[in-house]
Amino acid sequence: MTTTQLRTPRRPWWGVQPIGTLFALPYLVFVAVVFVYPLCFAVYIAFHDYIFTAPGVSVPTPFVGFDNFADVLTDPKVLQSFRNTGVFLVIFVPLTVVLSLILATALNAGIRFVSAFRVAFYVPYLTASVSLVGVWMLLFAQNGLINTILGPLAPSPSWLINSGLAMPTIALYVTWKQLGFYILLYLAALQNIPKELYESAATDGANLRQRFLNVTVPGVRATTTLVLILAIILGANLFTEPYLLTNGGGPDGASATPVLLVYQKGIQQQNPDTASAIGMLLVIVVGLLSMAASRLNREK
C-alpha cells in the first residue's frame, strides 16, 4: 500500500455534512456581528485617540500605542475598581462553589419538599434584578430589618453606605441571586455519579463526610471547573448590582467595578479610548484567572 493510499483525505471547509454547516451559519454570523466585531473594534479604539462623532463627521484618530493603557494603570479610580473586584471574587467564588455543591447534594439525596426547595433556590435567579435590589435596599437600610435585628451590633454607617462593607454586601446579594443556576449545574453532575460508588464506600465504612469528600467532590470536578470559570466571569462583569445598590459605585468608589468605569468613561464622559483600554485589561485579567482556576482544579 502506497503513502498516497494511506493519506487521510482532506475534509472540505464546509464539513462532512454541508446541511449542518448551513444550519449553524446564522449563529456564526450572530457571533461575528455581536461579539467578534465589537471586540476587534474595541482593540482598535484602545490603541488610538478616539472620540465619538456625529454620523457623517470624520475626525483624525491617531495611533497612540500604549498611552491609553498607561493612563489607565496610573488612574487611582481604575486601580481601586480592580481591587474592589478582587474583594468581590474572594467572597463570591468560594461561597458560590461551596454552597451550591452542598445544597445540590442535599437536594440530590431526596430530602422532603425537594421540589419546593428547587423552586425557592431558582426563583431569585429568574427574578429581575431591579425588583430584588429594591428589597435588599430596604433590608440593609439604616432603619431596615437587618439592623433592627442586630440592634447595637449593626454597623454604622450602614451596610451599603459603608466603604468597608459595601462590596461584601453586594457579594452576598449576587451569591444569593445566582445560586440557583449553579445548583442546577451540580444537580446534573451529581445524577451522573454511579450510585455503586457510594454503596461501595459505605460498605468500606466511609461515613457521610468521607463519602462527600472522596466520591462527590471528585465526581463533579469538571462541573466545579465550569462553575469557577462562570463565577469569575460573572464577578468580573459586575455592573447592575453596584450601579443600583450603591448609586453608581459609592461610597467614594468603594464598590465601583471596571465595567462600571467603562460605562462612566465611555458613555458618560465620552472617552471611549480609555474605556476600551480598561476593557482590554479586564479581558486579560479574566482570562488569566480562568486559566489558573481551571488548572488548579484539574491538579487537585
Side-chain angles (χ1 to χ4, degrees):
M1 187 176 294
T2 63
T3 305
T4 305
Q5 292 175 320
L6 293 174
R7 185 177 301 167
T8 303
R10 179 177 298 178
R11 179 178 298 181
W13 67 269
W14 57 82
V16 178
Q17 297 291 339
I19 190 66
T21 303
L22 182 63
F23 283 133
L25 188 60
Y27 180 72
L28 295 177
V29 173
F30 170 80
V31 171
V33 172
V34 177
F35 295 103
V36 178
Y37 172 74
L39 179 62
C40 295
F41 189 49
V43 173
Y44 171 84
I45 294 176
F47 289 95
H48 291 78
D49 185 7
Y50 195 91
I51 60 173
F52 291 130
T53 59
V57 178
S58 178
V59 296
T61 56
F63 178 77
V64 296
F66 290 94
D67 289 352
N68 291 327
F69 293 91
D71 294 339
V72 166
L73 292 174
T74 55
D75 189 340
K77 292 184 178 180
V78 175
L79 298 179
Q80 183 183 17
S81 70
F82 276 93
R83 287 195 297 269
N84 295 339
T85 302
V87 172
F88 177 87
L89 292 176
V90 167
I91 299 172
F92 171 67
V93 174
L95 201 58
T96 296
V97 173
V98 173
L99 286 180
S100 57
L101 179 55
I102 292 176
L103 292 175
T105 303
L107 293 177
N108 191 59
I111 60 175
R112 296 182 63 183
F113 310 112
V114 62
S115 299
F117 280 114
R118 288 184 181 182
V119 173
F121 290 140
Y122 201 62
V123 164
Y125 176 73
L126 296 176
T127 307
S129 295
V130 176
S131 59
L132 294 178
V133 161
V135 175
W136 272 66
M137 291 180 69
L138 292 175
L139 289 174
F140 287 90
Q142 185 71 42
N143 299 319
L145 179 62
I146 302 299
N147 285 350
T148 302
I149 295 174
L150 293 177
L153 299 178
S156 181
S158 191
W159 304 87
L160 294 172
I161 57 175
N162 189 314
S163 59
L165 295 175
M167 187 55 77
T169 304
I170 293 174
L172 292 177
Y173 165 77
V174 177
T175 302
W176 169 77
K177 186 180 188 307
Q178 302 291 332
L179 201 60
F181 173 70
Y182 299 111
I183 289 175
L184 285 182
L185 292 180
Y186 272 123
L187 273 175
L190 289 170
Q191 292 172 3
N192 289 325
I193 299 178
K195 294 183 179 180
E196 291 79 6
L197 294 178
Y198 292 102
E199 295 172 357
S200 177
T203 302
D204 292 337
N207 56 32
L208 184 63
R209 182 184 64 86
Q210 292 171 331
R211 293 198 297 271
F212 177 78
L213 294 177
N214 296 292
V215 179
T216 302
V217 173
V220 297
R221 182 174 299 166
T223 302
T224 300
T225 300
L226 176 63
V227 170
L228 284 171
I229 294 174
L230 292 177
I232 290 172
I233 294 174
L234 175 66
N237 286 278
L238 196 66
F239 172 80
T240 304
E241 289 77 10
Y243 183 79
L244 296 176
L245 284 171
T246 60
N247 195 23
D252 297 327
S255 61
T257 61
V259 176
L260 184 60
L261 287 186
V262 168
Y263 166 74
Q264 292 174 343
K265 291 183 177 295
I267 304 300
Q268 295 180 337
Q269 302 174 14
Q270 295 293 302
N271 291 318
D273 46 3
T274 304
S276 296
I278 297 174
M280 293 302 101
L281 289 176
L282 185 61
V283 169
I284 294 172
V285 171
V286 171
L288 293 175
L289 289 177
S290 299
M291 288 189 294
S294 177
R295 174 165 298 189
L296 178 62
N297 188 56
R298 185 169 62 248
E299 291 176 353
K300 291 294 183 181

